[in-house]
């Protein structure tokens, strides 16, 4: 049985003080919530404040991005070890905004994912097709390529402990989410491929989140799909009350 995971991606929103206040409110709201794991990924500058405010609570803290090198002349970047030292235990890797706006490829996703694992954290690796790719019936082939190239070299044991997020690009921040059937089809396909490439047991342990305009009113239907193990939530995670409603909707 996979414990559902709801992860909030704050994107470029919230200062350290705003993040700390958010965590204080959320941890109070979560007092009677069980059966679901919760992670927030604030901007890098807010990770430490989030981790301090979340100490002793069930809220895990993640980063939204890292560089794959340990250190060096990479102006503006932060390493996996640095975000870990600040309190992160998860890192979102290969978000579609990173792929489309900052030129990330399956190859850089692979390097970043390996750096996250080497630093003792859990990668949340994002995959998903664009609208053009869906219209050309390429969705499943795109997912296959993102998995084979992005997860190249991953062991079954590493796969079992990591998190994938299926995020159709056309559904992110658009208010247009995949139907439960569309999400279910993609998640089923991903799980089948993971079984084929990494073995049955590892594939059964790996959590696959859905992401793309998840809201309090659509999580319940999405989570009923057998291979949907939770959600990666952008906009609706910024308000603790709407995030709580999504968390409640996914709890088992
Ligand atoms: C995301 O940022 O990963 C995301 C899914 O955003 P939104 O929920 O706003 O579509």
């Amino acid at each position: 049985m996979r414990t559902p995971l709801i992860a909030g991606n704050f994107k470029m929103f919230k200062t350290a003080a705003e993040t700390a206040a958010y965590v204080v409110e959320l941890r109070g709201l979560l007092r009677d919530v069980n059966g679901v794991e919760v992670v927030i990924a604030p901007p890098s500058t807010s990770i430490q404040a989030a981790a301090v405010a979340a100490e002793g609570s069930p809220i895990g803290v993640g980063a939204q991005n890292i560089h794959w090198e340990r250190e060096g002349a990479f102006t503006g970047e932060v390493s996996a070890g640095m975000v870990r030292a600040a309190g992160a235990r998860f890192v979102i890797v290969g978000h579609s905004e990173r792929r489309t706006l900052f030129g990330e490829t399956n190859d850089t996703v692979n390097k970043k994912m390996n750096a996250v694992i080497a630093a003792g954290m859990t990668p949340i690796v994002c995959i998903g097709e664009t609208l053009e790719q869906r219209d050309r019936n390429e969705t499943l082939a795109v997912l296959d390529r993102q998995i084979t190239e992005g997860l190249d070299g991953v062991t079954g044991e590493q796969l079992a402990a990591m998190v994938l997020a299926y995020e159709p690009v056309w559904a992110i921040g658009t208010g247009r989410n995949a139907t439960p059937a569309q999400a279910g089809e993609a998640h089923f396909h991903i799980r089948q491929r993971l079984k084929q490439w990494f073995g049955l047991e590892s594939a059964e342990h790996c959590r696959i989140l859905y992401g793309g305009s998840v809201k309090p009113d659509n999580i319940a239907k999405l989570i009923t799909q057998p291979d949907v193990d939770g959600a990666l939530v952008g906009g609706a995670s910024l308000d603790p009350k709407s995030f709580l409603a999504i968390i409640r909707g996914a709890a088992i």
Side-chain angles (χ1 to χ4, degrees):
M1 167 74 93
R2 297 178 293 268
T3 304
L5 170 64
I6 300 294
N9 171 17
F10 286 8
K11 312 196 188 205
M12 201 170 72
F13 292 98
K14 294 193 190 296
T15 63
E18 288 164 347
T19 303
Y22 174 103
V23 172
V24 168
E25 183 175 348
L26 183 65
R27 67 183 288 171
L29 295 170
L30 286 175
R31 227 173 266 132
D32 64 340
V33 178
N34 295 303
V36 57
E37 194 178 342
V38 178
V39 169
I40 57 160
S44 299
T45 46
S46 300
I47 290 173
Q48 188 149 26
V52 169
E55 218 173 302
S57 83
I59 303 169
V61 177
Q64 299 172 18
N65 178 42
I66 48 107
H67 192 282
W68 57 85
E69 294 288 350
R70 272 189 44 234
E71 56 188 11
F74 302 104
T75 301
E77 298 288 332
V78 294
S79 71
M82 289 169 186
V83 299
R84 192 179 202 286
R89 294 295 176 265
F90 296 79
V91 181
I92 299 170
V93 178
H95 189 279
S96 77
E97 285 153 16
R98 303 272 344 148
R99 291 180 191 255
T100 56
L101 302 174
F102 301 99
E104 292 201 8
T105 62
N106 292 336
D107 180 51
T108 59
V109 167
N110 186 258
K111 289 180 173 146
K112 291 183 180 203
M113 179 204 61
N114 281 319
V116 172
I117 294 172
M121 297 182 289
T122 303
I124 301 176
V125 179
C126 301
I127 58 177
E129 81 287 1
T130 63
L131 189 56
E132 294 70 35
Q133 289 165 333
R134 175 163 282 268
D135 287 345
R136 289 198 302 262
N137 262 331
E138 291 173 4
T139 298
L140 303 183
V142 167
L143 296 177
D144 285 355
R145 206 162 50 245
Q146 289 173 331
I147 296 169
T148 49
E149 295 176 10
L151 272 56
D152 185 37
V154 163
T155 66
E157 200 180 335
Q158 289 169 335
L159 180 90
M162 77 165 60
V163 177
L164 293 186
Y166 168 61
E167 299 208 302
V169 178
W170 46 272
I172 298 176
T174 58
R176 176 183 168 192
N177 67 308
T179 64
Q182 284 172 323
E185 183 198 22
H187 282 237
F188 175 78
H189 176 82
I190 294 165
R191 183 92 57 206
Q192 291 305 112
R193 288 298 196 227
L194 297 181
K195 286 180 185 168
Q196 199 179 331
W197 293 329
F198 298 93
L200 192 74
E201 204 181 323
S202 303
E204 288 293 357
H205 275 92
C206 176
R207 285 182 290 187
I208 309 173
L209 312 183
Y210 168 77
S213 300
V214 172
K215 303 274 183 285
D217 62 0
N218 59 28
I219 183 64
K221 287 218 170 83
L222 289 161
I223 201 79
T224 58
Q225 296 295 315
D227 290 299
V228 174
D229 305 317
L232 181 54
V233 186
S237 71
L238 291 171
D239 170 49
K241 292 190 182 68
S242 73
F243 195 44
L244 174 74
I246 293 170
I247 293 165
R248 280 193 191 285
I252 44 175

